[in-house]
Amino acid sequence: TVTAVTLPYSGVAETNCGNGNNVTSTNASVVGGTSYYLNGEDAVYEFTATGTTDIIVDLVGNTSYSAIFVYDACPILGAPVPVATSGSSAMNENLSFTPVAGTTYYVVIDTWASPTCIPSYDLTISIAVGGCTDATACNYDASATVDDGSCTLPGCTDALAVNYDATAGCDDGSCAYSCTAAPYLENFDSGVGT
């Protein structure tokens, strides 16, 4: 069974149980992966890339020994080499790859021979969005899925403060001043600052 999807794709409570073992280690290439993970039942998702920004594939399952294989042609016709693979004894898998615009990709969700299928999984296939992913940063971007190294962290931005931080991207209100370096004068005898 091949399911045509458009990106971003988000499938919840999907299953490959009952689909059969159509993509196998004997009719599809496993170069870069392992043949053990093409022995269970499989689900295949097909999409055509519209650009060259990285694609992220996330599989959140409830069964161990799961795998993701990505092919740039039908995996059982001519045995193309996988573009990307991720398989392990873990329940969750993820990978990313750089697509070629206009190319049709096939994402295969499969398992080791035992268990033979994944009763329920969530699958997302999305285009990577670069930006700052650190929620404590001044320029945090909640829509970013890949940290691009642009994060600027808060700190004291007043050059006259004793804890001035030249690398701070925004002021966090933490600036501290000494009596001799403050940008104002103190008259401690009268308790008045000017």
Side-chain angles (χ1 to χ4, degrees):
T1 302
V2 176
T3 303
V5 299
T6 56
L7 303 188
Y9 174 76
S10 181
V12 177
E14 308 253 325
T15 185
N16 61 357
C17 298
N19 288 353
N21 186 17
N22 301 302
V23 181
T24 69
S25 58
T26 58
N27 68 6
S29 174
V30 294
V31 173
T34 175
S35 62
Y36 297 123
Y37 291 101
L38 288 179
N39 287 313
E41 296 188 49
D42 44 66
V44 181
Y45 300 83
E46 170 190 353
F47 69 91
T48 301
T50 58
T52 57
T53 303
D54 282 0
I55 303 289
I56 299 171
V57 182
D58 282 310
L59 171 69
V60 177
N62 64 359
T63 301
S64 59
Y65 295 99
S66 57
I68 305 167
F69 286 80
V70 179
Y71 297 91
D72 60 1
C74 181
I76 60 173
L77 297 177
V81 173
V83 173
T85 65
S86 176
S88 70
S89 62
M91 288 188 240
N92 305 326
E93 299 295 332
N94 65 6
L95 58 80
S96 65
F97 66 97
T98 304
V100 174
T103 300
T104 298
Y105 290 91
Y106 297 81
V107 177
V108 178
I109 306 301
D110 213 325
T111 61
W112 193 285
S114 177
T116 59
C117 67
I118 307 171
S120 179
Y121 60 86
D122 298 342
L123 178 68
T124 57
I125 307 171
S126 59
I127 299 169
V129 176
C132 175
T133 61
D134 183 342
T136 64
C138 307
N139 60 332
Y140 170 65
D141 183 352
S143 67
T145 56
V146 175
D147 197 298
D148 64 3
S150 69
C151 294
T152 56
L153 297 175
C156 175
T157 60
D158 186 342
L160 298 175
V162 295
N163 62 332
Y164 169 67
D165 182 356
T167 65
C170 59
D171 196 280
D172 64 0
S174 68
C175 293
Y177 303 92
S178 75
C179 293
T180 58
Y184 54 86
L185 301 172
E186 286 282 344
N187 180 339
F188 291 107
D189 295 329
S190 65
V192 177
T194 57

